[in-house]
Amino acid sequence: MAAISGFFSHLYTITLVLFTIMILELVMLVQSVTGFHSRKPKINSTQYLKFIEEKNPTIRYSKRSKLEPNECIVCLSEIEEGEKVRRLKCNHTFHRDCLDEWLQQFWATCPLCRTKVLPDEIVANFRSQNEVYDGSDEDIMHMLTALHSNSIHRFF
Ligand SMILES: [Zn+2]
Ligand SMILES: [Zn+2]
């Protein structure tokens, strides 16, 4: 008898877990169908870099073009002939990679004079995506993964 009641309580747990998974999957489905979380298109790093590239195209540094300054303030080293650089509207020039890193990690402004490099709404969108994300999709995904692997390991 004990074996049987054990079996039933086991079955009950399995049903409960599977039911929770089903509910969560349903929630995700509804969200993806209604576009609940995609009211505002989010900007990821690739798109953000594309915006930077559009506004400030990469150029090859040449001493003859007399770009100022000839030192990259981000890495504090001299810009060499032929290196990939970006020249901002304020006429300040930086290594492309140094500037891209700076614009993503710190502020979307010129490291030297603080002139805005990108429109505010793009920066705000990118920041909201990468710092305080408000999408609960990822939470549900984590929960689902945990539940799936848990139930599989424990019961099957
Ligand atoms: Zn640099
Ligand atoms: Zn500047």
Side-chain angles (χ1 to χ4, degrees), residues 48-129:
Y48 189 67
L49 287 174
K50 234 173 82 185
F51 275 118
I52 298 173
E53 178 66 30
E54 269 170 28
K55 300 272 174 195
N56 314 276
T58 309
I59 49 171
R60 293 274 175 185
Y61 183 76
S62 160
K63 292 220 193 310
R64 272 173 298 143
S65 61
K66 295 191 178 67
L67 295 173
E68 289 292 329
N70 63 356
E71 189 190 63
C72 168
I73 202 75
V74 181
C75 67
L76 297 175
S77 58
E78 204 180 315
I79 301 175
E80 302 288 341
E81 186 79 21
E83 281 189 300
K84 287 178 184 163
V85 295
R86 283 194 206 287
R87 184 190 194 182
L88 302 178
K89 271 182 289 181
C90 52
N91 285 341
H92 291 131
T93 310
F94 310 91
H95 288 125
R96 185 195 60 179
D97 294 344
C98 294
L99 185 69
D100 288 358
E101 187 78 16
W102 172 273
L103 295 176
Q104 285 183 89
Q105 301 285 325
F106 304 101
W107 300 276
T109 53
C110 170
L112 261 180
C113 68
R114 304 271 181 243
T115 299
K116 276 182 195 165
V117 177
L118 290 168
D120 284 342
E121 75 251 29
I122 291 173
V123 180
N125 189 321
F126 176 70
R127 298 271 183 233
S128 72
Q129 157 94 338

Side-chain angles (χ1 to χ4, degrees), residues 13-32:
T13 321
I14 294 173
T15 316
L16 207 68
V17 168
L18 290 181
F19 188 69
T20 317
I21 292 173
M22 268 172 59
I23 295 280
L24 286 173
E25 276 172 354
L26 200 70
V27 168
M28 281 190 70
L29 189 74
V30 169
Q31 279 185 356
S32 65

